[in-house]
Amino acid sequence: MNSEISTRHPEKADFDRIVEVIDQWWGGPVQTSAHPIFFYELGERALVAEKEGRIVGFLLGFLSNSQVRTGYVHLVGIDPEFRRRGVGALLYGEFIETCREAGCKKMKAISTRGNEESVRFHAALGWDSKEVDDYAGPGRKRVVFSRDLSAEHVT
Ligand SMILES: CC(C)(COP(=O)(O)OP(=O)(O)OC[C@H]1O[C@@H](n2cnc3c(N)ncnc32)[C@H](O)[C@@H]1OP(=O)(O)O)[C@@H](O)C(=O)NCCC(=O)NCCS
Protein backbone atom coordinates (compact mmCIF):
# COMPACT_ATOMS: atom_id res chain seq x y z
CA MET A 1 0.00 0.00 0.00
CA ASN A 2 2.84 2.35 0.87
CA SER A 3 4.51 1.70 -2.46
CA GLU A 4 2.64 4.67 -3.94
CA ILE A 5 3.46 6.91 -1.00
CA SER A 6 6.90 8.45 -0.67
CA THR A 7 8.50 10.63 1.97
CA ARG A 8 10.86 13.59 1.80
CA HIS A 9 11.87 16.65 3.75
CA PRO A 10 9.41 19.55 3.50
CA GLU A 11 10.04 22.73 1.57
CA LYS A 12 8.43 26.08 2.44
CA ALA A 13 5.44 25.36 0.15
CA ASP A 14 4.86 22.11 2.06
CA PHE A 15 4.97 23.90 5.40
CA ASP A 16 2.43 26.41 4.03
CA ARG A 17 0.19 23.52 3.02
CA ILE A 18 0.47 21.94 6.48
CA VAL A 19 -0.60 25.21 8.10
CA GLU A 20 -3.56 25.43 5.71
CA VAL A 21 -4.91 21.93 6.35
CA ILE A 22 -3.96 21.22 9.93
CA ASP A 23 -7.17 22.39 11.64
CA GLN A 24 -9.29 20.39 9.23
CA TRP A 25 -7.14 17.26 9.58
CA TRP A 26 -7.34 17.51 13.37
CA GLY A 27 -11.00 18.47 13.50
CA GLY A 28 -10.19 21.44 15.73
CA PRO A 29 -7.95 24.47 16.15
CA VAL A 30 -4.34 23.36 16.54
CA GLN A 31 -2.74 25.66 13.96
CA THR A 32 -0.57 27.33 16.59
CA SER A 33 1.17 23.98 17.13
CA ALA A 34 2.60 24.27 13.63
CA HIS A 35 4.85 27.12 14.79
CA PRO A 36 7.33 28.17 12.08
CA ILE A 37 10.23 27.33 14.39
CA PHE A 38 9.49 23.65 13.59
CA PHE A 39 10.24 24.39 9.94
CA TYR A 40 12.96 27.05 9.99
CA GLU A 41 15.02 26.26 13.10
CA LEU A 42 14.01 22.70 14.03
CA GLY A 43 12.88 21.34 10.67
CA GLU A 44 16.01 19.56 9.49
CA ARG A 45 14.48 16.14 10.15
CA ALA A 46 10.82 16.99 9.49
CA LEU A 47 9.08 14.79 6.93
CA VAL A 48 6.12 14.89 4.58
CA ALA A 49 4.45 11.92 2.93
CA GLU A 50 3.08 12.42 -0.55
CA LYS A 51 1.14 10.58 -3.18
CA GLU A 52 1.34 11.81 -6.75
CA GLY A 53 2.32 15.29 -5.59
CA ARG A 54 -0.37 15.49 -2.91
CA ILE A 55 0.73 15.88 0.71
CA VAL A 56 -1.04 13.14 2.68
CA GLY A 57 0.83 13.36 5.98
CA PHE A 58 3.55 15.17 7.87
CA LEU A 59 5.76 14.82 10.90
CA LEU A 60 7.37 17.77 12.64
CA GLY A 61 10.14 16.56 14.92
CA PHE A 62 13.67 17.28 16.05
CA LEU A 63 16.52 16.01 18.21
CA SER A 64 16.79 16.99 21.85
CA ASN A 65 20.08 16.83 23.74
CA SER A 66 18.60 16.95 27.21
CA GLN A 67 20.10 14.23 29.46
CA VAL A 68 19.67 11.38 26.99
CA ARG A 69 19.84 12.23 23.28
CA THR A 70 16.20 11.97 22.25
CA GLY A 71 14.19 12.11 19.05
CA TYR A 72 11.11 14.21 19.74
CA VAL A 73 7.95 14.06 17.63
CA HIS A 74 6.26 17.42 18.06
CA LEU A 75 3.35 16.99 15.69
CA VAL A 76 2.15 14.32 13.30
CA GLY A 77 -0.92 14.51 11.10
CA ILE A 78 -2.37 12.32 8.37
CA ASP A 79 -4.98 13.41 5.82
CA PRO A 80 -8.27 11.85 7.05
CA GLU A 81 -8.73 10.27 3.61
CA PHE A 82 -5.43 8.43 4.02
CA ARG A 83 -5.70 7.16 7.59
CA ARG A 84 -5.23 3.51 8.53
CA ARG A 85 -3.07 2.95 5.47
CA GLY A 86 0.24 2.90 7.29
CA VAL A 87 1.23 6.49 6.49
CA GLY A 88 1.73 7.44 10.15
CA ALA A 89 3.76 4.28 10.73
CA LEU A 90 5.84 5.05 7.63
CA LEU A 91 6.65 8.58 8.84
CA TYR A 92 7.45 7.36 12.36
CA GLY A 93 9.64 4.57 11.01
CA GLU A 94 11.70 6.96 8.88
CA PHE A 95 11.99 9.56 11.62
CA ILE A 96 13.07 6.98 14.19
CA GLU A 97 15.68 5.65 11.78
CA THR A 98 17.27 9.09 11.28
CA CYS A 99 17.18 9.65 15.05
CA ARG A 100 18.84 6.30 15.65
CA GLU A 101 21.54 7.12 13.09
CA ALA A 102 22.10 10.43 14.87
CA GLY A 103 22.78 8.59 18.12
CA CYS A 104 19.40 8.90 19.85
CA LYS A 105 18.76 6.45 22.66
CA LYS A 106 15.16 7.40 23.21
CA MET A 107 12.05 8.70 21.42
CA LYS A 108 9.43 10.94 22.96
CA ALA A 109 6.10 12.58 22.07
CA ILE A 110 3.20 13.97 24.04
CA SER A 111 -0.53 14.22 23.58
CA THR A 112 -3.48 15.65 25.41
CA ARG A 113 -5.71 13.33 27.42
CA GLY A 114 -8.58 11.83 25.52
CA ASN A 115 -6.78 11.49 22.19
CA GLU A 116 -7.49 7.76 21.96
CA GLU A 117 -6.41 7.68 18.31
CA SER A 118 -2.97 8.84 19.29
CA VAL A 119 -2.75 6.47 22.27
CA ARG A 120 -3.69 3.47 20.13
CA PHE A 121 -1.37 4.51 17.33
CA HIS A 122 1.63 4.81 19.65
CA ALA A 123 0.77 1.56 21.42
CA ALA A 124 0.56 -0.22 18.06
CA LEU A 125 4.05 1.05 17.21
CA GLY A 126 5.48 -0.24 20.48
CA TRP A 127 5.69 3.02 22.42
CA ASP A 128 5.05 3.20 26.17
CA SER A 129 2.68 5.80 27.54
CA LYS A 130 1.91 7.36 30.91
CA GLU A 131 -0.22 10.25 32.11
CA VAL A 132 1.73 12.97 33.87
CA ASP A 133 -0.10 15.45 36.10
CA ASP A 134 0.72 19.15 35.56
CA TYR A 135 3.08 18.27 32.68
CA ALA A 136 2.12 21.39 30.72
CA GLY A 137 1.44 23.56 33.77
CA PRO A 138 -0.98 23.47 36.70
CA GLY A 139 -3.95 21.24 35.91
CA ARG A 140 -2.61 20.49 32.42
CA LYS A 141 -2.14 16.74 32.37
CA ARG A 142 -0.50 15.17 29.32
CA VAL A 143 0.05 11.68 27.98
CA VAL A 144 3.79 11.19 27.56
CA PHE A 145 4.84 8.59 24.99
CA SER A 146 8.31 7.11 24.93
CA ARG A 147 10.29 4.40 23.25
CA ASP A 148 13.65 3.16 24.45
CA LEU A 149 15.90 2.69 21.41
CA SER A 150 18.89 1.53 23.42
CA ALA A 151 17.14 -1.74 24.26
CA GLU A 152 16.29 -2.45 20.62
CA HIS A 153 18.42 -4.51 18.27
CA VAL A 154 18.36 -3.47 14.66
CA THR A 155 18.79 -6.25 12.13
C1 LIG B 1 -2.91 9.19 14.90
C2 LIG B 1 -2.58 9.26 13.40
C3 LIG B 1 -1.27 10.02 13.22
C4 LIG B 1 -2.40 7.80 12.89
O1 LIG B 1 -1.98 7.85 11.52
P1 LIG B 1 -2.35 6.67 10.48
O2 LIG B 1 -1.56 6.87 9.24
O3 LIG B 1 -3.82 6.58 10.33
O4 LIG B 1 -1.83 5.38 11.28
P2 LIG B 1 -1.37 3.98 10.65
O5 LIG B 1 -2.22 3.62 9.50
O6 LIG B 1 0.11 4.04 10.40
O7 LIG B 1 -1.69 3.02 11.88
C5 LIG B 1 -0.76 2.12 12.45
C6 LIG B 1 -1.49 1.36 13.55
O8 LIG B 1 -1.85 2.27 14.62
C7 LIG B 1 -3.13 1.88 15.15
N1 LIG B 1 -4.11 2.96 14.89
C8 LIG B 1 -3.95 4.05 14.11
N2 LIG B 1 -5.06 4.83 14.14
C9 LIG B 1 -5.94 4.21 14.97
C10 LIG B 1 -7.27 4.51 15.39
N3 LIG B 1 -7.91 5.61 14.97
N4 LIG B 1 -7.87 3.63 16.25
C11 LIG B 1 -7.24 2.52 16.68
N5 LIG B 1 -5.98 2.18 16.30
C12 LIG B 1 -5.34 3.02 15.45
C13 LIG B 1 -3.53 0.60 14.42
O9 LIG B 1 -3.05 -0.50 15.15
C14 LIG B 1 -2.79 0.75 13.11
O10 LIG B 1 -2.56 -0.47 12.46
P3 LIG B 1 -3.76 -1.16 11.60
O11 LIG B 1 -4.41 -0.10 10.77
O12 LIG B 1 -3.05 -2.19 10.78
O13 LIG B 1 -4.71 -1.73 12.61
C15 LIG B 1 -3.74 9.89 12.58
O14 LIG B 1 -4.95 9.26 12.94
C16 LIG B 1 -3.91 11.40 12.78
O15 LIG B 1 -3.30 12.18 12.06
N6 LIG B 1 -4.76 11.79 13.75
C17 LIG B 1 -5.07 13.20 14.00
C18 LIG B 1 -3.93 13.95 14.59
C19 LIG B 1 -3.35 13.30 15.84
O16 LIG B 1 -4.06 12.86 16.73
N7 LIG B 1 -2.01 13.23 15.87
C20 LIG B 1 -1.28 12.61 16.97
C21 LIG B 1 -1.03 13.61 18.04
S1 LIG B 1 0.36 13.06 19.00
Side-chain angles (χ1 to χ4, degrees), residues 25-26 74 76-79 82-90 92 109-111 115-118 120-122 124-125 145:
W25 284 13
W26 244 259
H74 168 64
V76 62
I78 310 302
D79 184 332
F82 284 82
R83 290 195 186 155
R84 300 304 290 268
R85 297 198 202 179
V87 182
L90 175 72
Y92 261 58
I110 65 167
S111 182
N115 188 343
E116 277 308 309
E117 229 172 31
S118 177
R120 291 193 183 155
F121 172 69
H122 284 92
L125 298 189
F145 302 107

Side-chain angles (χ1 to χ4, degrees), residues 45 63 71 94-104 107 149:
R45 290 185 166 77
L63 304 190
E94 297 226 352
F95 184 65
I96 290 171
E97 210 35 59
T98 67
C99 292
R100 204 193 297 274
E101 284 166 13
C104 289
M107 300 299 299
L149 299 183

